[in-house]
Amino acid sequence: MITTFQQHVSQEQARFPGASGEFTWLMSGIALATKMIQAEVRRAGLAEILGSLDQMNIQGEVQQKLDVYANEALIHCLSLRESIGIIASEENEKPIILAHKSPNARYAIVFDPLDGSSNIDVAVTIGTTFSIFRRPDDPHAGDPLEWVLQPGRKQIAAGYVVYGSSTVLVYSAGRGVHGFTLDPAVGSYILTHENIRLPKQGPYYSINEAYCDKFGDLYVNYLKRLRSGVLGQCYSSRFIGSMVADFHRTLLRGGVFIYPATTDFPTGKLRLLYEANPVAFLAEQAGGRASDGTQPILDVQPHDIHQRTALIVGSEIEMAEFERCVQDCAGQRSGDARAAT
Ligand code: AFP
């Protein structure tokens, strides 16, 4: 028997007595929008939708036409859901405030409509990431931004869709991580990866190594240790340049994905809300870990919706080794400081 994404979400929701069905309805909005996006992605070369719009988005990046389409598809499909009080998109400077004052508005949703968009024109895997928060206890108090400026630990669900050799939706609502592959013949996401567990150790590390002169000794030493065989194996490297695709491989095969702070991006390049939080939630649900270099990503209190962060995410063994390197580095620094006094 096949299980569709819709059936799976409904079954999950049915476990909660008194659930209104609004969460299922919200997730169906994500499913619909991502099917629309994947249809455009598949036709990209044909539909003359390739290329840039020659305009900058809030992050100072050139917006791609597909970015704009993906953003509009998600906003359109989700803003019809009365249960959503606020939407924050990587593509919009400010959050879109919907019915946040209505008692029916119970959720905030944040998303990156098209992650890895510099890969669009070269037919490389890209994706959509999303995360969902419940409204704060007192939805009428204070700034509506409070709905989205919650630590990642408060996400009630998160996920992504990769538009690769197949289209795969991966999500967790706090009860394991599940993957669904789009069957283009019937237009439904079908459960293909039930209860995904991140392997304890994997064969790959994934980092843009061309920046090794731009990230600190901590990361240089960590990579050296991975290459040295100290973890009982030789590593191979993979880096696609679409975080969602790099994370998808890491989730299924194990290993570690790293985007450290660099001299160009001193606080990291990836966005905490749209990119790091959803993958950290999935990684922890699947038995892995995610850090910003100093603390678990999910414990970071955001102060800005477009805040950037460093991200190290992956399997238990590689993450434990990373933490060991952090401690060594701190020990080295305090030793150096003592020697200097
Ligand atoms: P784009 O959406 O501009 O392609 O950026 C993608 C991304 O934020 C993330 O998905 C990649 O992991 C990272 O950038 C790649 O950045 P570098 O090109 O600096 O390695």
Side-chain angles (χ1 to χ4, degrees):
M1 256 318 253
I2 61 165
T3 303
T4 66
F5 176 59
Q6 204 64 30
Q7 287 167 334
H8 196 274
V9 176
S10 310
Q11 284 161 10
E12 287 283 292
Q13 181 152 356
R15 293 175 198 271
F16 298 96
S20 63
E22 284 297 342
F23 180 73
T24 308
W25 184 227
L26 185 166
M27 295 301 273
S28 81
I30 295 174
L32 175 59
T34 57
K35 285 180 205 170
M36 291 165 64
I37 297 166
Q38 77 85 34
E40 286 304 307
V41 169
R42 303 287 170 222
R43 283 204 304 263
L46 303 168
E48 291 185 317
I49 205 165
L50 280 175
S52 91
L53 273 180
D54 291 333
Q55 68 188 48
M56 298 285 185
N57 69 6
I58 177 66
Q59 315 289 345
E61 302 153 334
V62 176
Q63 265 185 317
Q64 305 288 321
K65 287 180 188 173
L66 261 175
D67 280 348
V68 176
Y69 178 84
N71 197 34
E72 285 172 359
L74 278 155
I75 293 170
H76 175 74
C77 292
L78 292 168
S79 55
L80 300 175
R81 269 61 177 165
E82 284 175 17
S83 59
I84 302 181
I86 290 179
I87 293 175
S89 163
E90 196 216 335
E91 293 294 327
N92 293 102
E93 180 180 1
K94 297 208 159 97
I96 300 167
I97 298 174
L98 301 168
H100 90 286
K101 292 212 162 135
S102 155
N104 296 331
R106 301 169 64 184
Y107 303 109
I109 177 154
V110 307
F111 52 77
D112 179 354
L114 218 47
D115 173 58
S117 50
S118 59
N119 279 325
I120 293 172
D121 286 355
V122 289
V124 168
T125 299
I126 49 182
T128 297
T129 53
F130 61 90
S131 97
I132 299 166
F133 293 96
R134 220 183 281 288
R135 72 177 176 200
D137 290 340
D138 180 1
H140 304 299
D143 191 334
L145 272 179
E146 283 175 21
W147 285 51
V148 285
L149 293 181
Q150 304 191 51
R153 196 123 351 247
K154 294 215 164 159
Q155 292 169 105
I156 58 161
Y160 62 80
V161 178
V162 270
Y163 312 109
S165 53
S166 54
T167 298
V168 182
L169 186 160
V170 174
Y171 97 110
S172 173
R175 294 177 55 87
V177 179
H178 310 287
F180 302 79
T181 304
L182 184 68
D183 181 343
V186 291
S188 290
Y189 284 111
I190 308 293
L191 181 63
T192 46
H193 302 70
E194 193 167 17
N195 202 17
I196 299 170
R197 301 300 296 165
L198 234 157
K200 274 200 161 41
Q201 185 173 15
Y204 307 121
Y205 67 71
S206 182
I207 184 169
N208 190 335
E209 232 165 339
Y211 299 154
C212 67
D213 296 329
K214 298 182 178 183
F215 44 72
D217 287 351
L218 164 64
Y219 297 94
V220 173
N221 291 340
Y222 176 54
L223 296 179
K224 217 183 257 175
R225 279 184 69 78
L226 292 185
R227 284 195 302 270
S228 73
V230 74
L231 294 186
Q233 64 176 40
C234 293
Y235 280 83
S236 181
S237 102
R238 294 281 188 281
F239 188 75
I240 296 167
S242 297
M243 183 216 62
V244 65
D246 282 311
F247 177 73
H248 187 58
R249 183 199 54 253
T250 305
L251 181 67
L252 297 182
R253 298 274 180 265
V256 62
F257 169 81
I258 310 159
Y259 204 111
T262 63
T263 45
D264 293 336
F265 290 100
T267 58
K269 180 187 179 196
L270 303 179
R271 286 72 173 179
L272 174 62
L273 264 64
Y274 316 109
E275 297 174 303
N277 268 344
V279 302
F281 185 78
L282 295 168
E284 285 204 6
Q285 280 289 318
R289 279 188 257 163
S291 163
D292 70 352
T294 59
Q295 62 178 320
I297 286 285
L298 295 183
D299 291 337
V300 179
Q301 171 64 54
H303 50 81
D304 183 304
I305 61 167
H306 296 299
Q307 179 171 335
R308 296 177 189 268
T309 181
L311 174 67
I312 305 95
V313 59
S315 297
E316 203 181 307
I317 289 182
E318 285 83 354
M319 291 304 290
E321 182 60 24
F322 178 71
E323 279 150 25
R324 217 165 290 136
C325 288
V326 171
Q327 279 166 12
D328 287 353
C329 193
Q332 179 82 42
R333 277 207 202 107
S334 63
D336 290 351
R338 266 198 307 276
T341 52

